[in-house]
Amino acid sequence: MQIDFWSDIVCPFCGLTDNRLRLALARFEHADEVRIVHRSFQLHPDLPREGISQRRLLDMHGIPAARGEQIFAPIERAARDEGMRPFHALERTLGPTDYAHELLALATDQGRGCEVWTAMFRAHFGQARELWTREQVLDFTAEVGLDREEAAEALRERRYRDRVAADQREAERLGARGMPFITLDGAYAVHGAVGIDELLAAMTRAWEAAHPTLKPLRILGGGEAAVCGPDGCAGPGHPAP
């Protein structure tokens, strides 16, 4: 089964979902037959390259500071309860994530997509790391064991820019208007930050749909009729010889 997970590294609900997806997978009996593919969706591509604080962004959208705290406090509390400590959803800076997503695409090509996505979520929300410029993103490569020169060349050439854009178009085509967004085997979708139990239920439903269990049909008549079996034939009411 393939799970496609669209997200942005500045989306706190996406950071939660990345963790919850792993926790749900740990409880899924067919986990060894599940492939998770991370895909890109940029929420704030037009933010200044130097970044902007979450509080300032809320103010720009006319959201009072008190309301912002009401929004983000439960997210931070949920993250702490699920073992993600610290988790900075409010006291952080946001910026454009195009270079970050291009680095993540490179990591995916090297078979390390899930690992590096998780590391980037943890760096941003756990350390309030800024990952908006090429230098900031390249500094991150050393922390996850990627080759800096190779990453620098990929970012300089914008080798993965089209793939990142294609991921976003595909999510929009499928009906996503926000993040996180998950599809299971291309047949089911989960939109938004649902809980671990809901993710596990979605996995189970998608698996069962793809692997139906054959059940005996209900007999409506002829239970005592003449039949032939491996040992011979018999009429009604008489066992086969």
Side-chain angles (χ1 to χ4, degrees):
M1 180 169 70
Q2 178 164 313
I3 297 176
D4 292 274
F5 175 22
W6 277 267
S7 62
D8 195 351
I9 65 155
V10 296
C11 162
F13 285 127
C14 298
L16 278 177
T17 299
D18 179 72
N19 191 52
R20 290 172 177 174
L21 195 55
R22 281 196 311 279
L23 293 174
L25 198 58
R27 293 167 51 189
F28 186 55
E29 62 177 319
H30 306 290
D32 58 339
E33 297 183 63
V34 175
R35 176 175 180 246
I36 296 177
V37 179
H38 284 265
R39 300 192 182 278
S40 297
F41 193 105
Q42 296 180 73
L43 293 173
H44 303 289
D46 298 324
L47 288 179
R49 187 65 69 179
E50 65 271 18
I52 185 172
S53 73
Q54 177 66 78
R55 288 186 181 274
R56 175 59 181 151
L57 187 60
L58 290 170
D59 184 62
M60 289 171 58
H61 286 85
I63 301 174
R67 177 57 183 151
E69 292 172 1
Q70 290 175 352
I71 293 170
F72 288 103
I75 300 174
E76 294 179 343
R77 185 165 54 249
R80 289 194 300 269
D81 290 345
E82 293 169 21
M84 301 175 70
R85 303 182 184 191
F87 191 91
H88 305 286
L90 182 58
E91 303 301 339
R92 62 184 175 121
T93 299
L94 292 82
T97 53
D98 49 347
Y99 292 134
H101 283 291
E102 289 173 35
L103 180 72
L104 290 164
L106 171 64
T108 297
D109 272 2
Q110 295 182 357
R112 299 185 58 202
C114 291
E115 172 193 352
V116 178
W117 270 91
T118 295
M120 194 172 283
F121 278 129
R122 295 296 173 88
H124 178 61
F125 291 108
Q127 305 166 21
R129 284 282 296 278
E130 299 178 9
L131 295 160
W132 328 135
T133 69
R134 271 192 290 191
E135 282 305 308
Q136 289 168 345
V137 170
L138 289 174
D139 287 345
F140 173 79
T141 63
E143 300 175 24
V144 291
L146 295 174
D147 184 87
R148 184 185 176 100
E149 291 305 314
E150 182 179 5
E153 181 180 354
L155 295 183
R156 184 171 57 251
E157 296 175 351
R158 306 308 300 267
R159 188 183 305 165
Y160 293 97
R161 179 166 53 184
D162 289 346
R163 184 194 297 185
V164 169
D167 275 356
Q168 186 140 348
R169 288 195 301 270
E170 178 65 5
E172 292 169 347
R173 185 189 71 80
L174 293 171
R177 293 296 177 267
M179 293 296 107
F181 183 72
I182 290 172
T183 62
L184 301 96
D185 270 347
Y188 298 91
V190 177
H191 198 185
V194 302
I196 299 167
D197 289 342
E198 289 86 352
L199 287 170
L200 180 59
M203 291 181 195
T204 301
R205 180 171 181 181
W207 179 271
E208 290 177 348
H211 303 81
T213 301
L214 295 179
K215 298 180 180 179
L217 296 177
R218 181 182 177 187
I219 303 299
L220 298 178
E224 300 297 327
V227 295
C228 289
D231 298 323
C233 300
H238 298 282

